[in-house]
Amino acid sequence: MTESLADSPTTHSDIPKFDVDLHSPEMLRDPYPTYRQFREAGPVIWLEPHQMFAVPRHAEAVEVLTRWKSFSSGQGVGMNDFVAQAARTTLQTDPPDHDTYRAIEGKPLLPNAVKALEPELRELAVRTVDDLLSRARFDGVSDLAQVLPLGIVANRVGLPPEGRERMLDWAAAGFDSFGMIGNERTQSGLQTMREASEYMQSVPGRLTPGGWADQLMQAGERAGLDLQTRLTLISDYIYPSLDTTIHAISAGLALFAANPDQWDLLRTERALLPRAVSEVVRLASPILWFTRTVTHDYSLGDVALPGRTRVVVLYGSANRDERKFPDPERFDITRPPNDQIGFGRGKHSCMGMSVARLEMEVLFDVMADSVERIETGTWRRSVNNVLYGYEHLDVTFRPSG
Ligand code: HEM
């Protein structure tokens, strides 16, 4: 990695330049030491291999995310133009389309509707944790973290069953496809997404009546959206909901295993569950980055960003910004809950946040009833252009009393 303040390819010769490829396996497995260097270098940096600006600190990340008129999602939030045209979901639109889509899709995800999911999530969590307590060792990802998120997709979204076993692959491919167009994972992600959209073409008339997808199709029709748009929007209930939550849950297992004092604290003070979930999401930051396109020349602090350039928002880096979070590497479930931006911020903040929070709160609550100690063993990181998390994590539950 090189950093230099000279010979910038842009007019911004004083902006720190980094020759760091965000898609390199080293960065995807552990970007945090490099993120620290980004933050130390300045509020805005230039990434040479991507030919894009990036904001590694919390304050500028929040500014970019909350000024949607200046920082557009409509030209896509990835690093290539193709994925924006292929998937015009809520994520990749600006108002007024964005507001229409969000109003149509958002109903089952509103806090009161989500609260009604609690009994079924709790029952599934109790069954799963009981089973895992009887096993000497299990995979924290496939045996535990995947269970609730996949359960929601299977039981609530209401899609025909034959595509379900491919959902995890499609979700990961969807995130890979946001990368640079010349990157191999981006190409293979785009290829796999074609398979996913063929499946989507087969769903009309086969949706479970009353399920989230069925409700969306009907509400979208009433709002005058064409069939293709409605089918594209169904994916908002699937792809952003799986690996994100799965990675956050497995990161939570690893964090509580490494910090037994925090596990003891949560077990005795369950009122800390919402804060504990926020703190897990802060350190997990399952989505490492998305981009925005600058719509007109914009001064970010004292840095002049020219219009039509892309800015990479580094959520994971912002969530460990020492300017915002004292002792940022420390796992502390008593931190104020609303500072972290792992669920985004502003107009595009996570639409499924209440579902993800409920899944995690219920699971940690059920575990806290019967697990005295969480122990972890060997692990492997997954490698994805946008997502950060475990592909595998050995876990043992030590039962209480
Ligand atoms: C821990 C789990 C999750 C994390 C960390 C997460 C993270 C995020 C982030 C960072 C964004 C903002 C994107 C941006 O700034 O452009 C976002 C948006 C979104 N998320 Fe999540 N998410 C999670 C779970 C879910 C779930 C369970 C669902 C669906 C049920 C979901 C659906 C969405 C949708 C549809 C958007 C787009 C919202 C918009 O553009 O207005 N997410 N998520």
Side-chain angles (χ1 to χ4, degrees):
M1 175 175 55
T2 57
E3 184 205 338
S4 123
L5 298 182
D7 301 321
S8 169
T10 72
T11 52
H12 305 269
S13 55
D14 53 345
I15 294 180
K17 255 193 340 167
F18 284 86
D19 192 11
V20 171
D21 178 0
L22 297 184
H23 301 341
S24 71
E26 306 76 56
M27 273 303 279
L28 295 175
R29 288 200 183 99
D30 185 12
Y32 285 100
T34 309
Y35 282 172
R36 191 177 309 118
Q37 296 177 26
F38 288 173
R39 289 194 301 274
E40 278 164 14
V44 180
I45 59 166
W46 175 258
L47 294 172
E48 194 63 35
H50 302 281
Q51 294 287 296
M52 289 173 200
F53 295 98
V55 283
R57 295 182 185 169
H58 188 275
E60 291 73 25
V62 168
E63 182 166 345
V64 169
L65 293 176
T66 50
R67 305 266 169 103
W68 64 269
K69 286 185 182 159
S70 306
F71 296 96
S72 160
S73 297
Q75 279 110 81
V77 298
M79 291 186 174
N80 69 77
D81 296 336
F82 191 78
V83 68
Q85 289 145 21
R88 296 205 65 75
T89 55
T90 310
L91 182 69
Q92 304 206 96
T93 43
D94 291 319
D97 286 350
H98 171 265
D99 296 347
T100 308
Y101 297 171
R102 217 172 144 119
I104 288 169
E105 281 170 43
K107 292 220 170 88
L109 306 179
L110 291 173
N112 275 346
V114 168
K115 197 77 193 133
L117 301 173
E118 179 165 352
E120 79 183 59
L121 286 174
R122 192 167 288 276
E123 199 198 315
L124 191 52
V126 167
R127 232 185 309 134
T128 309
V129 170
D130 276 357
D131 171 51
L132 296 176
L133 273 163
S134 67
R135 289 164 58 176
R137 205 174 60 182
F138 60 89
D139 177 10
V141 180
S142 58
D143 295 327
L144 181 56
Q146 290 180 358
V147 175
L148 268 54
L150 283 175
I152 289 282
V153 169
N155 301 332
R156 287 291 158 168
V157 181
L159 291 170
E162 72 271 9
R164 281 185 203 153
E165 73 285 359
R166 295 285 288 133
M167 292 294 173
L168 282 172
D169 291 338
W170 291 345
F175 280 101
D176 267 336
S177 70
F178 285 110
M180 299 290 283
I181 201 68
N183 174 268
E184 265 177 41
R185 274 183 303 276
T186 309
Q187 286 299 329
S188 115
L190 287 166
Q191 186 65 34
T192 306
M193 287 314 285
R194 282 191 202 113
E195 200 187 299
S197 55
E198 273 164 34
Y199 166 77
M200 237 10 132
Q201 297 307 315
S202 77
V203 309
R206 301 167 64 220
L207 297 170
T208 308
W212 294 357
D214 180 49
Q215 290 179 43
L216 187 158
M217 288 296 273
Q218 294 187 29
E221 193 172 6
R222 284 194 297 275
L225 300 185
D226 62 47
L227 179 64
Q228 283 319 310
T229 305
R230 286 182 277 146
L231 291 177
T232 305
L233 293 184
I234 290 177
S235 61
D236 276 348
Y237 292 140
I238 308 163
Y239 308 138
S241 76
L242 290 173
D243 283 311
T244 49
T245 320
I246 293 165
H247 286 334
I249 293 172
S250 38
L253 296 174
L255 287 163
F256 280 120
N259 298 275
D261 61 317
Q262 297 298 297
W263 185 241
D264 288 342
L265 181 59
L266 183 67
R267 291 190 74 210
T268 48
E269 266 190 68
R270 302 299 171 89
L272 286 171
L273 274 165
R275 283 178 183 236
V277 165
S278 279
E279 178 67 348
V280 166
V281 170
R282 180 181 76 84
L283 285 173
S285 288
I287 291 182
L288 288 172
W289 60 266
F290 274 137
T291 69
R292 297 291 191 263
T293 301
V294 189
T295 55
H296 55 90
D297 294 359
Y298 185 94
S299 293
L300 191 54
D302 55 5
V303 178
L305 300 176
R308 300 162 65 90
T309 45
R310 273 193 200 275
V311 180
V312 186
V313 179
L314 297 166
Y315 302 88
S317 177
N319 272 340
R320 296 196 193 190
D321 185 354
E322 31 300 273
R323 288 151 204 82
K324 181 72 185 173
F325 304 99
D327 199 0
E329 305 294 328
R330 190 161 55 90
F331 179 54
D332 174 359
I333 65 169
T334 64
R335 281 186 204 266
N338 298 322
D339 289 345
Q340 61 89 15
I341 60 162
F343 286 116
R345 198 53 81 82
K347 269 214 176 286
H348 288 274
S349 64
C350 181
M351 200 162 27
M353 188 181 352
S354 303
V355 182
R357 281 185 165 284
L358 183 68
E359 289 176 45
M360 294 173 74
E361 283 182 28
V362 164
L363 182 60
F364 293 149
D365 192 29
V366 167
M367 281 166 48
D369 286 340
S370 51
V371 178
E372 183 159 329
R373 277 286 167 270
I374 304 161
E375 292 169 8
T376 49
T378 54
W379 50 269
R380 202 171 48 249
R381 288 265 174 222
S382 73
V383 174
N384 181 283
N385 281 342
V386 174
L387 296 167
Y388 181 70
Y390 292 99
E391 183 175 296
H392 170 81
L393 177 67
D394 268 340
V395 180
T396 299
F397 279 167
R398 300 280 173 222
S400 52

